Amino acid sequence: VQLQAFGGGLVQAGGSLRLSCGASGRPFSKYGMGWFRQAAGKEREFVASITRSEDVTYYGDSVKGRFTISRDSAKNTVYLQMNNLKPEDTAVYFCAAVSSGSMRYTFRTSSEVDYWGKGTLVTVSS
């Protein structure tokens, strides 16, 4: 599956952005989807994931309560709504897909990811 992320940009602290990731090449419904991010000089960090069943989501501790992941199977797209952004959210955000036979398989580590999209840069100014 090919993944393409959109929606990054420059925003002031306290602002919002919505990232989108479109999937093509294989049935979108076969994949758990998620987002990771990587700040300059740091390791890639788990942000959020959503199951194939669309009813279970997980979030990294640093974004809980501020970010929301969702998916639209009709559009083959996964979204990341980011609210109350902080300067420490500045990073390149990567869309990720995990192939799983289970509708409710969840993932939180980069080692589980089967497919990565190219990143989109989010910069939060103070």
Side-chain angles (χ1 to χ4, degrees):
V1 65
Q2 291 78 47
L3 305 173
Q4 181 66 55
F6 302 92
L10 175 64
V11 63
Q12 288 188 333
S16 298
L17 277 176
R18 188 176 80 157
L19 304 183
S20 302
C21 175
S24 62
R26 290 189 176 182
F28 181 68
S29 61
K30 291 187 178 296
Y31 299 92
M33 300 297 297
W35 294 90
F36 290 75
R37 67 186 183 185
Q38 189 165 17
K42 295 187 177 182
E43 293 185 352
R44 195 164 293 191
E45 175 190 18
F46 170 73
V47 176
S49 63
I50 185 167
T51 57
R52 290 177 59 195
S53 59
E54 304 185 17
D55 61 345
V56 180
T57 57
Y58 284 98
Y59 296 92
D61 289 341
S62 61
V63 307
K64 281 181 183 177
R66 300 188 296 122
F67 291 11
T68 303
I69 188 171
S70 61
R71 61 190 292 169
D72 185 337
S73 293
K75 296 182 178 180
N76 290 347
T77 301
V78 61
Y79 303 97
L80 185 69
Q81 178 66 42
M82 305 185 294
N83 297 329
N84 190 23
L85 282 160
K86 304 176 181 180
E88 51 263 44
D89 294 317
T90 295
V92 177
Y93 284 71
F94 297 91
C95 179
V98 172
S99 178
S100 172
S102 170
M103 291 293 290
R104 307 195 86 200
Y105 178 82
T106 59
F107 65 98
R108 300 180 222 188
T109 64
S110 57
S111 61
E112 299 173 84
V113 175
D114 294 312
Y115 301 96
W116 292 100
K118 292 183 179 180
T120 184
L121 177 61
V122 172
T123 303
V124 184
S125 63
S126 56

PDB file of all heavy atoms in Angstrom, residues 28-56:
ATOM      1  N   PHE A  28      -7.864  -0.545   1.741  1.00  0.00           N
ATOM      2  CA  PHE A  28      -7.577   0.240   2.946  1.00  0.00           C
ATOM      3  C   PHE A  28      -8.063  -0.473   4.197  1.00  0.00           C
ATOM      4  O   PHE A  28      -7.433  -0.410   5.253  1.00  0.00           O
ATOM      5  CB  PHE A  28      -8.267   1.593   2.790  1.00  0.00           C
ATOM      6  CG  PHE A  28      -8.067   2.542   3.922  1.00  0.00           C
ATOM      7  CD1 PHE A  28      -6.821   3.097   4.176  1.00  0.00           C
ATOM      8  CD2 PHE A  28      -9.136   2.911   4.726  1.00  0.00           C
ATOM      9  CE1 PHE A  28      -6.635   4.000   5.207  1.00  0.00           C
ATOM     10  CE2 PHE A  28      -8.969   3.810   5.762  1.00  0.00           C
ATOM     11  CZ  PHE A  28      -7.719   4.352   6.007  1.00  0.00           C
ATOM     12  N   SER A  29      -9.165  -1.183   4.079  1.00  0.00           N
ATOM     13  CA  SER A  29      -9.785  -1.816   5.242  1.00  0.00           C
ATOM     14  C   SER A  29      -8.946  -2.943   5.839  1.00  0.00           C
ATOM     15  O   SER A  29      -9.217  -3.394   6.946  1.00  0.00           O
ATOM     16  CB  SER A  29     -11.162  -2.352   4.862  1.00  0.00           C
ATOM     17  OG  SER A  29     -11.042  -3.335   3.840  1.00  0.00           O
ATOM     18  N   LYS A  30      -7.928  -3.389   5.142  1.00  0.00           N
ATOM     19  CA  LYS A  30      -7.099  -4.482   5.642  1.00  0.00           C
ATOM     20  C   LYS A  30      -6.003  -4.013   6.596  1.00  0.00           C
ATOM     21  O   LYS A  30      -5.244  -4.837   7.117  1.00  0.00           O
ATOM     22  CB  LYS A  30      -6.457  -5.219   4.464  1.00  0.00           C
ATOM     23  CG  LYS A  30      -7.445  -6.008   3.613  1.00  0.00           C
ATOM     24  CD  LYS A  30      -6.733  -6.830   2.579  1.00  0.00           C
ATOM     25  CE  LYS A  30      -7.707  -7.664   1.758  1.00  0.00           C
ATOM     26  NZ  LYS A  30      -8.389  -8.657   2.602  1.00  0.00           N
ATOM     27  N   TYR A  31      -5.920  -2.707   6.830  1.00  0.00           N
ATOM     28  CA  TYR A  31      -4.802  -2.161   7.582  1.00  0.00           C
ATOM     29  C   TYR A  31      -5.241  -1.400   8.819  1.00  0.00           C
ATOM     30  O   TYR A  31      -6.168  -0.597   8.778  1.00  0.00           O
ATOM     31  CB  TYR A  31      -3.981  -1.211   6.705  1.00  0.00           C
ATOM     32  CG  TYR A  31      -3.384  -1.888   5.504  1.00  0.00           C
ATOM     33  CD1 TYR A  31      -4.058  -1.910   4.292  1.00  0.00           C
ATOM     34  CD2 TYR A  31      -2.148  -2.527   5.591  1.00  0.00           C
ATOM     35  CE1 TYR A  31      -3.518  -2.558   3.190  1.00  0.00           C
ATOM     36  CE2 TYR A  31      -1.606  -3.169   4.503  1.00  0.00           C
ATOM     37  CZ  TYR A  31      -2.296  -3.186   3.301  1.00  0.00           C
ATOM     38  OH  TYR A  31      -1.753  -3.822   2.228  1.00  0.00           O
ATOM     39  N   GLY A  32      -4.540  -1.695   9.923  1.00  0.00           N
ATOM     40  CA  GLY A  32      -4.584  -0.761  11.029  1.00  0.00           C
ATOM     41  C   GLY A  32      -3.747   0.439  10.626  1.00  0.00           C
ATOM     42  O   GLY A  32      -2.743   0.299   9.928  1.00  0.00           O
ATOM     43  N   MET A  33      -4.168   1.630  11.045  1.00  0.00           N
ATOM     44  CA  MET A  33      -3.494   2.843  10.613  1.00  0.00           C
ATOM     45  C   MET A  33      -3.014   3.649  11.819  1.00  0.00           C
ATOM     46  O   MET A  33      -3.580   3.563  12.910  1.00  0.00           O
ATOM     47  CB  MET A  33      -4.440   3.703   9.777  1.00  0.00           C
ATOM     48  CG  MET A  33      -4.966   3.019   8.525  1.00  0.00           C
ATOM     49  SD  MET A  33      -3.657   2.609   7.356  1.00  0.00           S
ATOM     50  CE  MET A  33      -3.058   4.241   6.935  1.00  0.00           C
ATOM     51  N   GLY A  34      -1.993   4.436  11.590  1.00  0.00           N
ATOM     52  CA  GLY A  34      -1.496   5.231  12.704  1.00  0.00           C
ATOM     53  C   GLY A  34      -0.595   6.356  12.263  1.00  0.00           C
ATOM     54  O   GLY A  34      -0.332   6.540  11.071  1.00  0.00           O
ATOM     55  N   TRP A  35      -0.142   7.117  13.254  1.00  0.00           N
ATOM     56  CA  TRP A  35       0.770   8.230  13.041  1.00  0.00           C
ATOM     57  C   TRP A  35       1.924   8.136  14.035  1.00  0.00           C
ATOM     58  O   TRP A  35       1.724   7.804  15.204  1.00  0.00           O
ATOM     59  CB  TRP A  35       0.054   9.562  13.241  1.00  0.00           C
ATOM     60  CG  TRP A  35      -1.004   9.863  12.234  1.00  0.00           C
ATOM     61  CD1 TRP A  35      -2.328   9.531  12.314  1.00  0.00           C
ATOM     62  CD2 TRP A  35      -0.831  10.559  10.994  1.00  0.00           C
ATOM     63  NE1 TRP A  35      -2.983   9.977  11.194  1.00  0.00           N
ATOM     64  CE2 TRP A  35      -2.090  10.613  10.368  1.00  0.00           C
ATOM     65  CE3 TRP A  35       0.267  11.139  10.363  1.00  0.00           C
ATOM     66  CZ2 TRP A  35      -2.282  11.236   9.129  1.00  0.00           C
ATOM     67  CZ3 TRP A  35       0.077  11.762   9.139  1.00  0.00           C
ATOM     68  CH2 TRP A  35      -1.181  11.800   8.528  1.00  0.00           C
ATOM     69  N   PHE A  36       3.097   8.445  13.538  1.00  0.00           N
ATOM     70  CA  PHE A  36       4.285   8.611  14.350  1.00  0.00           C
ATOM     71  C   PHE A  36       4.871   9.977  14.028  1.00  0.00           C
ATOM     72  O   PHE A  36       4.509  10.597  13.031  1.00  0.00           O
ATOM     73  CB  PHE A  36       5.325   7.527  14.033  1.00  0.00           C
ATOM     74  CG  PHE A  36       4.940   6.152  14.497  1.00  0.00           C
ATOM     75  CD1 PHE A  36       3.980   5.416  13.815  1.00  0.00           C
ATOM     76  CD2 PHE A  36       5.539   5.590  15.604  1.00  0.00           C
ATOM     77  CE1 PHE A  36       3.613   4.147  14.236  1.00  0.00           C
ATOM     78  CE2 PHE A  36       5.190   4.317  16.032  1.00  0.00           C
ATOM     79  CZ  PHE A  36       4.225   3.600  15.337  1.00  0.00           C
ATOM     80  N   ARG A  37       5.781  10.429  14.859  1.00  0.00           N
ATOM     81  CA  ARG A  37       6.454  11.681  14.561  1.00  0.00           C
ATOM     82  C   ARG A  37       7.916  11.590  14.978  1.00  0.00           C
ATOM     83  O   ARG A  37       8.278  10.792  15.832  1.00  0.00           O
ATOM     84  CB  ARG A  37       5.768  12.854  15.277  1.00  0.00           C
ATOM     85  CG  ARG A  37       5.887  12.822  16.804  1.00  0.00           C
ATOM     86  CD  ARG A  37       5.053  13.939  17.405  1.00  0.00           C
ATOM     87  NE  ARG A  37       5.191  13.982  18.859  1.00  0.00           N
ATOM     88  CZ  ARG A  37       4.494  14.795  19.653  1.00  0.00           C
ATOM     89  NH1 ARG A  37       3.599  15.631  19.126  1.00  0.00           N
ATOM     90  NH2 ARG A  37       4.667  14.786  20.954  1.00  0.00           N
ATOM     91  N   GLN A  38       8.707  12.433  14.358  1.00  0.00           N
ATOM     92  CA  GLN A  38      10.125  12.457  14.678  1.00  0.00           C
ATOM     93  C   GLN A  38      10.614  13.893  14.677  1.00  0.00           C
ATOM     94  O   GLN A  38      10.586  14.574  13.641  1.00  0.00           O
ATOM     95  CB  GLN A  38      10.927  11.627  13.672  1.00  0.00           C
ATOM     96  CG  GLN A  38      12.376  11.436  14.060  1.00  0.00           C
ATOM     97  CD  GLN A  38      13.041  10.329  13.265  1.00  0.00           C
ATOM     98  OE1 GLN A  38      12.562   9.888  12.222  1.00  0.00           O
ATOM     99  NE2 GLN A  38      14.164   9.842  13.778  1.00  0.00           N
ATOM    100  N   ALA A  39      11.024  14.341  15.828  1.00  0.00           N
ATOM    101  CA  ALA A  39      11.598  15.670  15.958  1.00  0.00           C
ATOM    102  C   ALA A  39      13.087  15.614  15.649  1.00  0.00           C
ATOM    103  O   ALA A  39      13.704  14.549  15.728  1.00  0.00           O
ATOM    104  CB  ALA A  39      11.369  16.200  17.370  1.00  0.00           C
ATOM    105  N   ALA A  40      13.649  16.736  15.326  1.00  0.00           N
ATOM    106  CA  ALA A  40      15.068  16.796  14.972  1.00  0.00           C
ATOM    107  C   ALA A  40      15.930  16.261  16.113  1.00  0.00           C
ATOM    108  O   ALA A  40      15.778  16.674  17.269  1.00  0.00           O
ATOM    109  CB  ALA A  40      15.463  18.233  14.648  1.00  0.00           C
ATOM    110  N   GLY A  41      16.783  15.315  15.796  1.00  0.00           N
ATOM    111  CA  GLY A  41      17.687  14.769  16.779  1.00  0.00           C
ATOM    112  C   GLY A  41      17.083  13.774  17.753  1.00  0.00           C
ATOM    113  O   GLY A  41      17.743  13.354  18.705  1.00  0.00           O
ATOM    114  N   LYS A  42      15.827  13.403  17.509  1.00  0.00           N
ATOM    115  CA  LYS A  42      15.161  12.474  18.421  1.00  0.00           C
ATOM    116  C   LYS A  42      14.690  11.231  17.678  1.00  0.00           C
ATOM    117  O   LYS A  42      14.612  11.206  16.449  1.00  0.00           O
ATOM    118  CB  LYS A  42      13.972  13.168  19.092  1.00  0.00           C
ATOM    119  CG  LYS A  42      14.376  14.310  20.002  1.00  0.00           C
ATOM    120  CD  LYS A  42      13.184  14.836  20.773  1.00  0.00           C
ATOM    121  CE  LYS A  42      13.593  15.934  21.754  1.00  0.00           C
ATOM    122  NZ  LYS A  42      12.430  16.428  22.542  1.00  0.00           N
ATOM    123  N   GLU A  43      14.350  10.214  18.447  1.00  0.00           N
ATOM    124  CA  GLU A  43      13.852   8.985  17.858  1.00  0.00           C
ATOM    125  C   GLU A  43      12.391   9.156  17.427  1.00  0.00           C
ATOM    126  O   GLU A  43      11.677  10.032  17.931  1.00  0.00           O
ATOM    127  CB  GLU A  43      13.962   7.835  18.866  1.00  0.00           C
ATOM    128  CG  GLU A  43      15.392   7.455  19.198  1.00  0.00           C
ATOM    129  CD  GLU A  43      15.456   6.232  20.092  1.00  0.00           C
ATOM    130  OE1 GLU A  43      14.409   5.768  20.565  1.00  0.00           O
ATOM    131  OE2 GLU A  43      16.579   5.742  20.316  1.00  0.00           O
ATOM    132  N   ARG A  44      11.984   8.277  16.514  1.00  0.00           N
ATOM    133  CA  ARG A  44      10.593   8.316  16.075  1.00  0.00           C
ATOM    134  C   ARG A  44       9.682   7.922  17.244  1.00  0.00           C
ATOM    135  O   ARG A  44       9.944   6.962  17.963  1.00  0.00           O
ATOM    136  CB  ARG A  44      10.404   7.364  14.891  1.00  0.00           C
ATOM    137  CG  ARG A  44       9.108   7.579  14.140  1.00  0.00           C
ATOM    138  CD  ARG A  44       9.130   6.919  12.790  1.00  0.00           C
ATOM    139  NE  ARG A  44      10.097   7.562  11.892  1.00  0.00           N
ATOM    140  CZ  ARG A  44      10.166   7.319  10.588  1.00  0.00           C
ATOM    141  NH1 ARG A  44       9.331   6.437  10.031  1.00  0.00           N
ATOM    142  NH2 ARG A  44      11.075   7.924   9.839  1.00  0.00           N
ATOM    143  N   GLU A  45       8.602   8.656  17.381  1.00  0.00           N
ATOM    144  CA  GLU A  45       7.705   8.525  18.535  1.00  0.00           C
ATOM    145  C   GLU A  45       6.294   8.159  18.089  1.00  0.00           C
ATOM    146  O   GLU A  45       5.770   8.749  17.143  1.00  0.00           O
ATOM    147  CB  GLU A  45       7.684   9.854  19.299  1.00  0.00           C
ATOM    148  CG  GLU A  45       6.722   9.934  20.449  1.00  0.00           C
ATOM    149  CD  GLU A  45       6.574  11.342  20.995  1.00  0.00           C
ATOM    150  OE1 GLU A  45       6.948  12.304  20.293  1.00  0.00           O
ATOM    151  OE2 GLU A  45       6.086  11.496  22.134  1.00  0.00           O
ATOM    152  N   PHE A  46       5.661   7.241  18.797  1.00  0.00           N
ATOM    153  CA  PHE A  46       4.280   6.875  18.523  1.00  0.00           C
ATOM    154  C   PHE A  46       3.354   8.036  18.894  1.00  0.00           C
ATOM    155  O   PHE A  46       3.479   8.624  19.968  1.00  0.00           O
ATOM    156  CB  PHE A  46       3.898   5.636  19.314  1.00  0.00           C
ATOM    157  CG  PHE A  46       2.434   5.319  19.290  1.00  0.00           C
ATOM    158  CD1 PHE A  46       1.841   4.801  18.150  1.00  0.00           C
ATOM    159  CD2 PHE A  46       1.640   5.534  20.404  1.00  0.00           C
ATOM    160  CE1 PHE A  46       0.482   4.509  18.112  1.00  0.00           C
ATOM    161  CE2 PHE A  46       0.293   5.241  20.390  1.00  0.00           C
ATOM    162  CZ  PHE A  46      -0.288   4.734  19.248  1.00  0.00           C
ATOM    163  N   VAL A  47       2.402   8.332  18.002  1.00  0.00           N
ATOM    164  CA  VAL A  47       1.428   9.393  18.259  1.00  0.00           C
ATOM    165  C   VAL A  47       0.039   8.810  18.472  1.00  0.00           C
ATOM    166  O   VAL A  47      -0.593   9.070  19.491  1.00  0.00           O
ATOM    167  CB  VAL A  47       1.395  10.396  17.088  1.00  0.00           C
ATOM    168  CG1 VAL A  47       0.303  11.441  17.311  1.00  0.00           C
ATOM    169  CG2 VAL A  47       2.750  11.077  16.937  1.00  0.00           C
ATOM    170  N   ALA A  48      -0.443   8.029  17.509  1.00  0.00           N
ATOM    171  CA  ALA A  48      -1.799   7.496  17.608  1.00  0.00           C
ATOM    172  C   ALA A  48      -1.986   6.355  16.626  1.00  0.00           C
ATOM    173  O   ALA A  48      -1.297   6.284  15.610  1.00  0.00           O
ATOM    174  CB  ALA A  48      -2.833   8.585  17.320  1.00  0.00           C
ATOM    175  N   SER A  49      -2.941   5.465  16.950  1.00  0.00           N
ATOM    176  CA  SER A  49      -3.288   4.399  16.017  1.00  0.00           C
ATOM    177  C   SER A  49      -4.773   4.090  16.136  1.00  0.00           C
ATOM    178  O   SER A  49      -5.403   4.380  17.162  1.00  0.00           O
ATOM    179  CB  SER A  49      -2.455   3.137  16.254  1.00  0.00           C
ATOM    180  OG  SER A  49      -2.708   2.596  17.531  1.00  0.00           O
ATOM    181  N   ILE A  50      -5.303   3.507  15.074  1.00  0.00           N
ATOM    182  CA  ILE A  50      -6.717   3.145  15.023  1.00  0.00           C
ATOM    183  C   ILE A  50      -6.838   1.790  14.335  1.00  0.00           C
ATOM    184  O   ILE A  50      -6.142   1.508  13.363  1.00  0.00           O
ATOM    185  CB  ILE A  50      -7.538   4.232  14.296  1.00  0.00           C
ATOM    186  CG1 ILE A  50      -9.032   3.924  14.344  1.00  0.00           C
ATOM    187  CG2 ILE A  50      -7.069   4.426  12.857  1.00  0.00           C
ATOM    188  CD1 ILE A  50      -9.909   5.100  13.927  1.00  0.00           C
ATOM    189  N   THR A  51      -7.718   0.966  14.860  1.00  0.00           N
ATOM    190  CA  THR A  51      -7.854  -0.386  14.353  1.00  0.00           C
ATOM    191  C   THR A  51      -8.631  -0.446  13.046  1.00  0.00           C
ATOM    192  O   THR A  51      -9.303   0.509  12.653  1.00  0.00           O
ATOM    193  CB  THR A  51      -8.581  -1.255  15.385  1.00  0.00           C
ATOM    194  OG1 THR A  51      -9.867  -0.647  15.666  1.00  0.00           O
ATOM    195  CG2 THR A  51      -7.801  -1.373  16.668  1.00  0.00           C
ATOM    196  N   ARG A  52      -8.561  -1.605  12.411  1.00  0.00           N
ATOM    197  CA  ARG A  52      -9.363  -1.829  11.203  1.00  0.00           C
ATOM    198  C   ARG A  52     -10.845  -1.677  11.512  1.00  0.00           C
ATOM    199  O   ARG A  52     -11.618  -1.209  10.677  1.00  0.00           O
ATOM    200  CB  ARG A  52      -9.096  -3.229  10.674  1.00  0.00           C
ATOM    201  CG  ARG A  52      -7.730  -3.448  10.073  1.00  0.00           C
ATOM    202  CD  ARG A  52      -7.552  -4.893   9.650  1.00  0.00           C
ATOM    203  NE  ARG A  52      -8.565  -5.289   8.676  1.00  0.00           N
ATOM    204  CZ  ARG A  52      -8.822  -6.548   8.353  1.00  0.00           C
ATOM    205  NH1 ARG A  52      -8.158  -7.546   8.928  1.00  0.00           N
ATOM    206  NH2 ARG A  52      -9.747  -6.824   7.456  1.00  0.00           N
ATOM    207  N   SER A  53     -11.252  -2.103  12.710  1.00  0.00           N
ATOM    208  CA  SER A  53     -12.661  -2.015  13.100  1.00  0.00           C
ATOM    209  C   SER A  53     -13.107  -0.586  13.347  1.00  0.00           C
ATOM    210  O   SER A  53     -14.303  -0.335  13.519  1.00  0.00           O
ATOM    211  CB  SER A  53     -12.904  -2.863  14.352  1.00  0.00           C
ATOM    212  OG  SER A  53     -12.084  -2.417  15.417  1.00  0.00           O
ATOM    213  N   GLU A  54     -12.153   0.338  13.425  1.00  0.00           N
ATOM    214  CA  GLU A  54     -12.403   1.773  13.583  1.00  0.00           C
ATOM    215  C   GLU A  54     -12.941   2.159  14.950  1.00  0.00           C
ATOM    216  O   GLU A  54     -13.230   3.337  15.182  1.00  0.00           O
ATOM    217  CB  GLU A  54     -13.353   2.299  12.497  1.00  0.00           C
ATOM    218  CG  GLU A  54     -12.882   2.028  11.092  1.00  0.00           C
ATOM    219  CD  GLU A  54     -13.771   2.650  10.046  1.00  0.00           C
ATOM    220  OE1 GLU A  54     -14.558   3.551  10.382  1.00  0.00           O
ATOM    221  OE2 GLU A  54     -13.670   2.254   8.864  1.00  0.00           O
ATOM    222  N   ASP A  55     -13.057   1.208  15.862  1.00  0.00           N
ATOM    223  CA  ASP A  55     -13.666   1.547  17.152  1.00  0.00           C
ATOM    224  C   ASP A  55     -12.676   1.581  18.304  1.00  0.00           C
ATOM    225  O   ASP A  55     -13.072   1.847  19.445  1.00  0.00           O
ATOM    226  CB  ASP A  55     -14.786   0.559  17.471  1.00  0.00           C
ATOM    227  CG  ASP A  55     -14.278  -0.881  17.575  1.00  0.00           C
ATOM    228  OD1 ASP A  55     -13.146  -1.147  17.128  1.00  0.00           O
ATOM    229  OD2 ASP A  55     -15.026  -1.724  18.081  1.00  0.00           O
ATOM    230  N   VAL A  56     -11.415   1.319  18.023  1.00  0.00           N
ATOM    231  CA  VAL A  56     -10.411   1.350  19.087  1.00  0.00           C
ATOM    232  C   VAL A  56      -9.257   2.245  18.652  1.00  0.00           C
ATOM    233  O   VAL A  56      -8.714   2.096  17.552  1.00  0.00           O
ATOM    234  CB  VAL A  56      -9.876  -0.061  19.390  1.00  0.00           C
ATOM    235  CG1 VAL A  56      -8.833   0.007  20.515  1.00  0.00           C
ATOM    236  CG2 VAL A  56     -11.006  -0.989  19.782  1.00  0.00           C
TER     237      VAL A  56
END
